[in-house]
Amino acid sequence: MNILILGSGGREHALGWKLKQSKRCGKLFFGPGNGGTASIGENIAIDPETVNTKLVDQIDYFCRHNQVEMVVIGPEDPLAQGLADRLAQPGRYVFGPVKAAARLEGDKAWAKQLMRAASVPTAEARAFSDYDAAVTYIESRETSMVVKASGLAKGKGVSVCDSPAEALEAVKRIMKDREFGAAGDTVVIEEKLLGQELSVLALVDGRNIFVLDPAQDHKQVGEGDKGPNTGGMGAYSPTPLCDDELMTTIQREVLVPVVDALRRDDVVFQGVLYAGMMLTTGGPRVLEFNTRFGDPETQALMMRLRGDLLEIMIATCEGRLDEVDLSWDPRCCCCVVMASGGYPGAYAKGKPIAGLDEAAKLADVQVFHAGTKADKGQVLTAGGRVLNVCALGKDLQEAQRKANAACETIHFEGGFYRHDIGFRVMKA
Ligand code: AMP
Ligand code: GLY
C-alpha cells in the first residue's frame, strides 16, 4: 500500500519510519516532509497548512497517479479545516478525524462546553468573545489565571498568568493586538491548576478506544522547566506518573464520555484523541484535547511500539480496533529535542548539521528530523526544533543518558538541548 504522510515534523518522520517497517508498506511519500523523511521516502511539494480547493485537487491528483491508498494527516491545522472530510473517498483511507471531531482541538471554548456537559473533569473556565467583558471578569478576580486563545495558535496561544495584571496583558495581546488573528476572537480564561502533566494518547475508531502507553512532554525551553513555552523540548515514555488504575480512570472519566458525547451528535471520531492532563491533588483534570499524534510524544511512542502501525491505522479507519494486536517494548524511550539558538524566539536557519552519521551508529538510538532540509548532500537546519534524538534504555536514567550522549555527537551552530528530560520523575 502506498502511503502519503502530510506534515513536516519529527512526528511525521517517526510515523513514516514505523510505517515503513510494515510488510504491507509500499511507496512512502511525505508532503512536504523534511531532510530526514527524504532518506526514507520521497518528499513532494505539497504543503497541507492551508486547506482550499487547490490543495485538495493537488492531493487527489497525486494520490490517483501514484496509487496512494492511505493518507495520514499529521498536524492540527488541516484537520481543523476539514481536510480529512474533503479527502475521503472510496478506496482511500484517511487517518485523522473529520472537521466536526477536530473541533475538540481547534475550538477550546466549544471543547470546554462539551466537557462540562459530559461531566469531564477539567479546569473551571469562562469564555469571552467581548474584550470588555473579559477585562471586567479578570478585574473581579485576585488569583492566578490561564488565558487561552480559543482557536489554533501553533501551541503559543496559552499564557499562564500569576496575577490579574498579567492576564489583562495576555487578553490584550490576543483580542486587541490580535497576535493569533481570528484564533483569538474568543478567549478562554481558566483557573490555574497545579500538578504534573501527562500526555494520554488514544486511538479511536469511532467506537473502540485503544489507549497508548502514557508519556510526559516538556514544554518549557529551559532546564528545570524554566522560561517560555515551546512546541515541546522533549518527552519520554512510559512514565511512572500513570499506573493502570489511573489510566482506567482517565479512560472512564475523560475519553469514553467525550467520544460518546460526539457520537450523540452524530460525529464519529476516528484517529488519535490526545488528552493533555494535569494530575492535581483532586484527581486528573483535562488541560486540553488534541486530535492528532502529539509531537514529540509520538517519536518516543513509535520507538516502543510493537506491532504493525499500518494495520493499526487501517483498523482505526475501519472501526476494527478491537481486533488489533499492539504491545510495547518494556524499555523506556527518552526523546531530546535539539533546537536552534534563540528558539522559541527568532533563530537562524541554513546551518549545516554535522555528526548525524555517528549518531546513527549508536545502539538503540534513532534521530528523527523536524526542522531540517536536505541540500546537495548536506543536511541544513530549517526550523526552531531541528532534531528529535531518541534513545531506548532499561529505565529512564539510561534512556536519558544515551539520548544525551547521542546529542553530544551532533553539532550545528547555535544548537542547544535540555539535558534533563524526565527530571520530574527522576531521583536527584
Ligand atoms: P495547552 O496548549 O492548553 O495544553 O496549554 C499549554 C500548556 O499551558 C500546558 O501544557 C500547561 O503547561 C499550561 N496550562 C494550560 N492550561 C493550564 C491550566 N489550567 N493550569 C495550569 N497550566 C496550564
Ligand atoms: N506535545 C504537545 C503537542 O503535540 O501539542
Side-chain angles (χ1 to χ4, degrees):
M1 184 179 289
N2 295 345
I3 304 169
L4 170 61
I5 300 177
L6 296 172
S8 62
R11 164 182 53 207
E12 286 76 20
H13 189 186
L15 290 174
W17 173 80
K18 190 68 200 172
L19 283 168
K20 210 179 156 79
Q21 294 166 24
S22 165
K23 284 194 291 288
R24 280 176 74 188
C25 179
K27 283 192 195 146
L28 197 52
F29 301 100
F30 294 88
N34 59 40
T37 63
S39 68
I40 60 167
E42 187 183 328
N43 287 352
I44 60 170
I46 285 180
D47 190 336
E49 198 78 351
T50 307
V51 176
N52 51 30
T53 307
K54 185 170 161 241
L55 175 77
V56 174
D57 288 349
Q58 209 184 4
I59 298 172
D60 267 335
Y61 182 87
F62 183 84
C63 290
R64 261 199 319 277
H65 285 262
N66 295 279
Q67 289 82 47
V68 170
E69 288 173 275
M70 166 67 83
V71 181
V72 180
I73 305 175
E76 60 273 22
D77 291 278
L79 290 167
Q81 295 173 65
L83 185 60
D85 313 52
R86 294 179 69 172
L87 291 180
Q89 57 168 258
R92 180 192 294 160
Y93 296 107
V94 179
F95 188 88
V98 293
K99 184 176 183 172
R103 195 173 174 197
L104 274 179
E105 175 166 4
D107 184 347
K108 287 183 197 276
W110 179 81
K112 275 283 173 191
Q113 265 176 25
L114 184 134
M115 281 189 265
R116 202 170 298 132
S119 302
V120 171
T122 183
E124 284 301 320
R126 302 247 334 240
F128 297 91
S129 301
D130 179 65
Y131 176 71
D132 294 331
V135 168
T136 306
Y137 175 72
I138 293 170
E139 285 173 345
S140 74
R141 324 243 329 154
E142 279 160 18
T143 52
S144 309
M145 280 167 267
V146 181
V147 177
K148 305 181 174 187
S150 182
L152 294 180
K154 306 253 175 270
K156 299 190 184 112
V158 175
S159 302
V160 179
C161 306
D162 288 321
S163 65
E166 279 179 43
L168 286 173
E169 176 57 29
V171 169
K172 178 175 165 294
R173 279 193 287 106
I174 297 172
M175 297 186 96
K176 283 281 173 215
D177 306 342
R178 296 184 64 78
E179 207 168 282
F180 311 110
D185 284 349
T186 300
V187 291
V188 174
I189 302 176
E190 63 183 44
E191 63 172 325
K192 180 179 168 185
L193 299 175
L194 296 177
Q196 294 248 17
E197 284 185 51
L198 178 72
S199 302
V200 177
L201 282 74
L203 294 159
V204 181
D205 69 4
R207 200 163 40 96
N208 301 294
I209 296 173
F210 199 115
V211 185
L212 306 183
D213 257 13
Q216 190 178 38
D217 184 15
H218 295 57
K219 288 218 171 74
Q220 282 169 286
V221 72
E223 292 188 2
D225 282 348
K226 301 278 184 330
N229 267 345
T230 69
M233 292 299 291
Y236 68 92
S237 169
T239 171
L241 290 169
C242 186
D243 57 15
D244 290 348
E245 193 188 332
L246 178 58
M247 202 51 120
T248 306
T249 303
I250 292 172
Q251 179 151 357
R252 193 182 57 230
E253 293 186 0
V254 177
L255 302 173
V256 171
V258 164
V259 172
D260 284 351
L262 288 174
R263 207 173 37 205
R264 277 196 294 277
D265 286 334
D266 292 323
V267 177
V268 178
F269 192 110
Q270 283 187 328
V272 173
L273 178 57
Y274 161 162
M277 305 295 304
M278 186 77 93
L279 304 179
T280 74
T281 49
R285 301 268 184 280
V286 176
L287 294 178
E288 64 158 352
F289 285 115
N290 297 320
T291 59
R292 45 159 179 93
F293 280 106
D295 190 337
E297 291 93 329
T298 301
Q299 290 83 312
L301 289 171
M302 289 305 116
M303 291 285 285
R304 300 187 50 237
L305 179 65
R306 284 180 176 159
D308 185 323
L309 181 61
L310 181 53
E311 297 295 352
I312 291 166
M313 285 183 162
I314 292 172
T316 305
C317 295
E318 290 185 340
R320 293 189 293 103
L321 266 179
D322 47 337
E323 296 168 19
V324 148
D325 183 26
L326 184 160
S327 63
W328 300 95
D329 188 323
R331 289 176 295 173
C332 183
C333 180
C334 180
C335 170
V336 177
V337 171
M338 296 187 78
S340 297
Y343 177 78
Y347 53 82
K349 292 183 189 176
K351 304 289 179 198
I353 304 172
L356 287 169
D357 292 342
E358 288 82 277
K361 284 183 204 133
L362 299 172
D364 303 321
V365 169
Q366 279 296 326
V367 180
F368 297 117
H369 292 216
T372 73
K373 188 171 98 179
D375 184 62
K376 302 185 198 85
Q378 262 196 326
V379 179
L380 306 178
T381 67
R385 291 191 295 166
V386 177
L387 298 168
N388 305 147
V389 179
C390 296
L392 289 164
K394 67 177 190 306
D395 52 23
L396 176 57
Q397 275 77 4
E398 188 182 279
Q400 187 208 65
R401 192 170 43 70
K402 285 175 163 175
N404 287 345
C407 290
E408 283 300 311
T409 70
I410 300 172
H411 296 281
F412 52 92
E413 194 188 313
F416 74 99
Y417 60 95
R418 281 181 61 169
H419 299 69
D420 67 343
I421 299 305
F423 80 101
R424 285 181 171 276
V425 298
M426 277 161 61
K427 293 179 197 73

